[in-house]
Amino acid sequence: MALKECTKKEQANSYEVIVEVDGETFEKAVEAVYKKQVKRINIQGFRKGKAPRRIIEKMYGSEVFYEDAMQDCYPEALYDASKEANIKIVKVESLEALEAGKEGFTFKAEVIVEPEIEIDNYKGIEVEKLSTEVTDELVDEEIEKVRDRNSRIVTVDDRPAQDGDTVVIDFDGYVDGEQFDGGMAENYNLVLGSNSFIPGFEEQIVGHSTDEEFSIFVTFPESYQVEELAGEEAEFKIKLHEIKTKELPEVDDEFVKDVSEKETLDEYKEELKETIAERLKDDAEKDVNDKIADSLIELVEGDIPEAMFDNQTNEMIRDFDMRLRSQGMDMKTYMEYMGMTNDSLKEAYREGAEKRVKLRLALEAIARKEGLEATEEDINAEYEKLSEAYKTDLEKVKSSIPAENLAEDIKVQKALDLVKENAVIK
C-alpha cells in the first residue's frame, strides 16, 4: 500500500488523499471475503458453501468480491497513507474507488485532519497555589463529619419542630378549594431545611408540635413543572405525626475509641491532621494542574475541526456507558431516569470534550517545539506501570496497546511536566 497523492484543500484541515493498494494485499482481502461469503452461496452442482471462487466469479463477474474486499482494506491503507503524508486523520468525509483489478486498486478519500497548532508563552505561567495549612477549624469540621456518620435518630416530643429535624406528616393540597393530583401524601418523612419542597412549605412547619393539625399557604413557582399549578396559590392541610432529630455522640476519648484505633482525643486529632494534610496537598496539586491546563487552553491558536470535539464527546460518553454497565445499569435506563435525550447528553459532555482536545493539542505542539521524545526505557516503564495497575500480564498489555500510542502519551506528559517545572507557582 502506498500514498499516491495528498492535496490540501481550501477548507481548513481538509485534504484529498489518493492511495494505491498493491495486488498482493488486495488479493488476500478478496480471498478472505470469498471464504467468508461462500458459506451462504448456492451454485447448482455444488454443495452449499463449497463452490470454488473461480466458478462464482464466472457466474457473477470477476468483481463480485471487490467491494467488500476494498472496505476491509480502507482502514489500514488510510492509516499507512496518513503516516507517509505526516497527517493525523480525525474524520473520513468520503471514500471513492477509482479503479480496481488483479493488480490492486486505487481510491480517493476526503479527510479532515488534526490542525497545525501554534502555541507560545507556555513557560512562566503564573499559578496561585491553594493553601495546605491544616487549621483547627478543618480538624473540627472533620470530627463533625464523623459525629454525623455515627449519629442516631431519636424522637422529640418536648419541643416544636426546627430546621434540621425530620418530620413525619400527612399533607393534602388545594387550589381554589379543589384538591389537585399529586398534592397528597401520608406519613411522609421531610427534612426541614432541605429545600426539597416548594419555597415556603418547610419554613411554615417550623414551630409546630407533634399531633398538631394546621394549614400552610404557598405559591407555586412560575417555572413549576406542572403547568396547571405554575404561579398558583395553594393551601396545604398538615397533620404533624412525629418530630425526629439526630443525636450526636459526645467528642471524648470513648468516642475516639469507637471511631478509630486511637486511645485519646489528642492522638485522634494528630491522626486527622496528617490525613487532612495529605488531602490538602493532593487537592492543591490537582488545582495547580487544572489552572495550568486552563492557561494552556487559552494559549492555543489554530482552527480546530468540529470532528475532533465530536469524537472526544462520543469517547467520553462511551467511557461513561462502560462505567454504568460495570455498576449494573445501562445508558438507556440512566437517560430515562435523568430525563435526558441523546442531544442533551452530548451537550453535557461538550465543554469537557473541547477542553480535553485543546489541552492535548497544546501539549503535542509543545512536545514538538521542545523536541521531546519517548525513549524505549520510558515506554517499557509505562508498560510495567500499566501491567501493575490493571493486574494484567505484561505481554498482554503490550499486545493491546501499541508502543506508538504509548509514546505519544509519554511525550504529552513530558510536555506537561516541562510547563509545570517552568511555571511560577505562588
Side-chain angles (χ1 to χ4, degrees), residues 20-27 66 99-106:
E20 290 181 330
V21 177
D22 61 85
E24 182 181 354
T25 301
F26 189 43
E27 167 57 26
Y66 279 13
E99 56 181 350
K102 291 184 179 180
E103 300 80 16
F105 76 97
T106 304

Side-chain angles (χ1 to χ4, degrees), residues 276-295:
I276 294 169
E278 196 64 35
R279 186 182 72 224
L280 291 178
K281 179 183 175 183
D282 291 342
D283 290 346
E285 188 69 21
K286 182 180 182 302
D287 185 67
V288 166
N289 289 341
D290 290 343
K291 287 173 179 174
I292 287 176
D294 289 341
S295 296

Side-chain angles (χ1 to χ4, degrees), residues 388-423:
E388 291 177 13
Y390 293 104
K391 303 188 185 309
T392 305
D393 181 72
L394 180 60
E395 294 307 314
K396 286 185 178 179
V397 175
K398 288 184 176 181
S399 64
S400 61
I401 305 176
E404 182 181 356
N405 293 3
L406 213 54
E408 289 299 314
D409 291 342
I410 292 169
K411 286 191 285 186
V412 162
Q413 184 58 50
K414 285 187 175 184
L416 180 58
D417 292 341
L418 181 146
V419 174
K420 286 179 67 177
E421 287 166 8
N422 287 276

